[in-house]
Amino acid sequence: MTVHADSVSADTDAVLPPITDLRSALDRLRGVPGQLLETDHPVDPAGELAGVYKRVGAGGTVQRPTRIGPAMIFNNVTGYPGARVLVGLMASRERVGLLLDTPARRLTQRMAQAIENAQGPVVVGADRAVCQQVVYRADDPAFDLRTLLPAPTNTPQDAGPYFCLGLVLGSDPELGTDVTIHRLCVQGRDEISIFFAPGRHIDEFRRRAEQAGRPFPISVNMGLDPAIPIGATFEAPTTPLGYDELAIAGGLRGAPVELVDCATIDQKAIARAEIVIEGYILPGKRVAEDQNTHTGHAMPEFPGYDGPANPSLPVIKVTAVTTRRDPILQTLVGPGEEHTSLAGIPTEASIFNALHAAMPGFVPEVHAHTAGGGKFLAILKCDKKTARDDGRARQAALVAFGVYSELKNIILVDTDVDIFDTDDVLWAMQTRMQGDLDIITIPGVAGHVLDPSQQPDYNPALPTKGTTAKTIFDATAPYRLRETFQRAHFLDVDPRPYAPDLNLTYP
């Protein structure tokens, strides 16, 4: 699906204005009841803001009580007159569908199509770059990140204030350009630490620059058209080393992402961003992530735990901050549903495309479940038509593991199971699976360092942190017994005349 101008809502026939940046995305949400909440009540960015949103709409793997709810804009941030902070823009699959002009359960296919329709970014002049309407240079003695931008401290245990939705753009003269989201902790007036999970392409660019003794110029782009951060979270092999993920956002919108030359460094920035931080990752310099607080913790990560503070992280030396007038700082609650949208929907699309190429039509739907933060748990719907398909279902799981290395568990279900309904998936596991026959484990495979069970302290057989056993839970009915596993079929009746107040849909 390519959208060039006005678009049609994912759930209605109403024509909606196009989304070109964060503000037009917010305007769209304002027209849909229950999707955006603005408050003028004072909120402290140190712990309080995230604590509020935990109960309003974070969802995901956040400690209960939590829920899926509206995005929120805080217009009265303590200590930052005039500042606004947005949280939860993509913290529901329904809302992402609304923002990407697609029904929520078809987002996998929409993202998969965007890869095929990718359009590379274009460079525009500074006169078209709203991200540079206001420029703060770090060589000004009054410059101080800590007072300029209201970066939230999510919990009392955090190492410090974090930019949680900063899209880092970097390039290598031989390998190309990469954009990825990393945790960024404010360490001083003009310094930010940056954490790279193993295998990130932009970290390879940084390493090559460091080996050559060169500072590595990067821009940190915040407050974006949601198509950009969602498109940026694809990983190899879908997006190999040097692939510019901004092209996927171009495929989603049917128009290229606009870039502009940075104001103080030789790098590009996203022209319609709300806020851009410009700077260099310094060669050879490292800091402890919690050097200012000594809490031992970093921030809440997507598995639902406080990540340990890293004792030695690279440092971004900030040269400038550029913004729109009255900028909106966008953030997220790390373990929340927003991470599932950002990481999980691209994961689904990568697996879907690979399976379609390997066994066309056999896996019509893929769901990267929020219990795994969009990374650890996938559910595959398998369309069995012959006895041979019993084995093909398990082969599909192996293909998925090969496509997305951070997957830990895969659940296979039949086509009569709703993969977006956890109760339905658990029902299939209870009635179509025997542990000694239908659970397959693959030990000693690379996983993800932020899973606390993936370390030798948990399992001494593991050689290093970030190594895991991967598991296939085959909850599909054996083909030869398919008649035994037929669900009870009810008469299909339009319920709307009987319950008009429930706003039900039919069919």
Short mmCIF file of all heavy atoms in Angstrom, two decimals, residues 67 170 225 251 284 294 307 371 407 496:
data_model
loop_
_atom_site.label_atom_id
_atom_site.label_comp_id
_atom_site.label_asym_id
_atom_site.label_seq_id
_atom_site.Cartn_x
_atom_site.Cartn_y
_atom_site.Cartn_z
N ARG A 67 -1.55 -0.66 31.76
CA ARG A 67 -2.62 -0.88 30.78
C ARG A 67 -2.18 -0.30 29.45
O ARG A 67 -1.20 0.45 29.38
CB ARG A 67 -3.93 -0.20 31.24
CG ARG A 67 -3.81 1.30 31.33
CD ARG A 67 -4.93 1.97 32.12
NE ARG A 67 -6.20 1.93 31.44
CZ ARG A 67 -6.62 2.87 30.59
NH1 ARG A 67 -5.85 3.92 30.31
NH2 ARG A 67 -7.81 2.80 30.04
N GLY A 170 24.42 7.73 11.65
CA GLY A 170 25.86 7.77 11.42
C GLY A 170 26.19 7.15 10.09
O GLY A 170 25.40 6.41 9.51
N ASP A 225 8.06 11.69 12.43
CA ASP A 225 7.00 10.91 11.81
C ASP A 225 7.18 9.47 12.28
O ASP A 225 8.26 8.89 12.14
CB ASP A 225 7.14 11.01 10.30
CG ASP A 225 6.23 10.05 9.52
OD1 ASP A 225 5.50 9.24 10.13
OD2 ASP A 225 6.26 10.13 8.28
N GLY A 251 9.32 3.96 1.95
CA GLY A 251 8.39 2.98 1.40
C GLY A 251 7.05 3.00 2.09
O GLY A 251 6.00 2.82 1.46
N GLY A 284 38.36 6.43 21.78
CA GLY A 284 39.14 6.07 22.96
C GLY A 284 38.58 6.54 24.29
O GLY A 284 39.11 6.16 25.33
N HIS A 294 25.89 6.35 40.67
CA HIS A 294 26.40 5.11 41.28
C HIS A 294 25.27 4.19 41.75
O HIS A 294 25.37 3.53 42.78
CB HIS A 294 27.34 5.44 42.45
CG HIS A 294 28.43 6.40 42.08
ND1 HIS A 294 29.48 6.04 41.25
CD2 HIS A 294 28.61 7.71 42.39
CE1 HIS A 294 30.28 7.10 41.08
NE2 HIS A 294 29.78 8.12 41.77
N GLY A 307 18.11 -2.56 33.49
CA GLY A 307 19.38 -3.00 32.93
C GLY A 307 20.53 -2.58 33.83
O GLY A 307 20.50 -1.50 34.43
N ALA A 371 4.94 -9.96 25.32
CA ALA A 371 5.59 -10.59 26.47
C ALA A 371 7.09 -10.71 26.26
O ALA A 371 7.86 -10.78 27.23
CB ALA A 371 4.98 -11.97 26.74
N LEU A 407 15.30 -13.76 18.60
CA LEU A 407 14.17 -14.60 18.99
C LEU A 407 14.64 -15.70 19.94
O LEU A 407 15.68 -16.31 19.73
CB LEU A 407 13.54 -15.26 17.77
CG LEU A 407 12.41 -14.55 17.03
CD1 LEU A 407 11.93 -15.42 15.89
CD2 LEU A 407 11.27 -14.21 17.96
N ARG A 496 -25.44 -6.94 16.14
CA ARG A 496 -25.65 -5.50 16.34
C ARG A 496 -27.08 -5.12 16.70
O ARG A 496 -27.29 -4.25 17.57
CB ARG A 496 -25.15 -4.75 15.10
CG ARG A 496 -23.63 -4.82 14.94
CD ARG A 496 -23.17 -4.21 13.64
NE ARG A 496 -23.68 -4.96 12.48
CZ ARG A 496 -23.41 -4.64 11.21
NH1 ARG A 496 -22.65 -3.58 10.95
NH2 ARG A 496 -23.89 -5.37 10.22
#
